[in-house]
Amino acid sequence: MSEFVTFHDLKDASVYITGGGSGIGAALTEGFLAAGAKVAFVGREDASEFVYKMGETYGNAPTFIQCDITDVGALQASIDQAVDTNGDISVLVNNAANDTRHTLDDYTVDQWDAGMNVNLRPHFFTAQAVVDGMRRVGGGSIINYSSISYMMGNAGYPAYATSKAAIVGLTRALSAELGPDRIRVNALLPGWVMTERQKRLWATPEALEEHLKSQNLPDLIQPRDVVDATLFLASKASQMVTGQAIVVDGGTVVTG
């Protein structure tokens, strides 16, 4: 998929992606397939058509496992299935999220828990499920998708922003815990990526014009831009990069 980079060590790598059948996740699945990886992904909605298209395009269909990631038992069982199909997982990409807008007022305990169960909890329990396999193969890469949303000071999604901040803390903690096993853990923080969902729900001409004022670069961020960054973090090209929050946002926020 990438027009710009090739990471040869990703060929035949066993990759597992949450939410890999739509939006950024579908772009990630395609990017890894194009690199020659063996990809398994989970999602709630049927992705048979996408799987067929990828198989026709790359001669290497991904393994789709229908799964609600809020069900931790089912999520970890899906990882076992992926291992049975593709071998021990060496790259884990925690991508799935729900960024539905909400406010403080009238937000219930059940809604809070539901949001964390999608946006934060899976990052911990997928990591727990893959580490033994990564140890067996001598290391691996865990890539946790966060967001610059918690850095921007925006209203409109306080629980979502909280979960995305927590992902960076989890990433830092896991990188310290797993580093001795040569398992690298990094967070990737996209800016406003122009997926079909974003364009359908929130990317009005006025909103885009206002957002571009916050970027240093004048171009809208496309899924390809975060795919290439993810491939880098998955590859041994980044073998001494761990515990980091990598931002792909056109220069909207500052880290460090």
Side-chain angles (χ1 to χ4, degrees):
M1 181 181 176
S2 176
E3 302 173 34
F4 309 122
V5 294
T6 302
F7 295 105
H8 302 291
D9 64 305
L10 294 179
K11 188 177 187 306
D12 295 325
S14 177
V15 178
Y16 179 95
I17 303 171
T18 62
S22 63
I24 290 173
L28 290 169
T29 295
E30 184 170 4
F32 278 104
L33 290 173
K38 297 177 289 187
V39 179
F41 72 90
V42 292
R44 292 182 63 180
E45 304 299 327
D46 180 64
S48 301
E49 184 176 343
F50 173 66
V51 169
Y52 176 79
K53 179 182 176 184
M54 292 297 98
E56 288 290 295
T57 302
Y58 297 102
N60 176 25
T63 299
F64 167 57
I65 305 163
Q66 198 156 7
C67 175
D68 179 349
I69 65 170
T70 67
D71 182 338
V72 172
L75 181 63
Q76 295 190 322
S78 76
I79 290 174
D80 290 339
Q81 185 177 338
V83 170
D84 288 342
T85 302
N86 294 331
D88 284 324
I89 293 162
S90 59
V91 179
L92 166 65
V93 185
N94 281 308
N95 157 76
N98 185 340
D99 63 350
T100 298
R101 295 343 187 216
H102 58 274
T103 63
L104 175 66
D105 296 340
D106 301 321
Y107 201 66
T108 68
V109 171
D110 286 344
Q111 287 174 311
W112 172 274
D113 289 343
M116 297 301 156
N117 291 348
V118 171
N119 294 324
L120 176 60
R121 191 170 71 176
H123 293 59
F124 182 92
F125 287 102
T126 52
Q128 185 185 72
V130 302
V131 291
D132 283 346
M134 288 185 173
R135 289 171 179 138
R136 281 192 293 270
V137 299
S141 176
I142 297 173
I143 302 159
N144 292 325
Y145 263 64
S146 176
S147 167
I148 67 166
S149 58
Y150 77 91
M151 299 179 179
M152 294 179 67
N154 290 344
Y157 40 45
Y160 174 77
T162 299
S163 67
K164 291 301 181 180
I167 287 167
V168 176
L170 175 64
T171 296
R172 186 65 182 167
L174 291 181
S175 74
E177 183 159 340
L178 301 177
D181 296 310
R182 295 186 177 85
I183 299 171
R184 299 178 294 109
V185 190
N186 291 288
L188 196 146
L189 285 64
W192 196 3
V193 182
M194 291 297 105
T195 63
E196 291 305 314
R197 172 178 166 85
Q198 298 300 314
K199 290 187 282 188
R200 183 176 73 252
L201 295 177
W202 301 298
T204 64
E206 296 78 16
L208 292 174
E209 181 181 5
E210 186 63 25
H211 179 76
L212 283 174
K213 293 177 184 177
S214 73
Q215 289 188 188
N216 294 339
L217 298 174
D219 306 306
L220 294 171
I221 303 167
Q222 303 301 324
R224 178 199 68 215
D225 300 315
V226 294
V227 171
D228 288 348
T230 305
L231 294 176
F232 168 71
L233 290 174
S235 166
K236 290 183 175 61
S238 60
Q239 66 180 351
M240 293 304 292
V241 178
T242 194
Q244 303 305 307
I246 307 298
V247 176
V248 182
D249 73 346
T252 298
V253 301
V254 176
T255 59

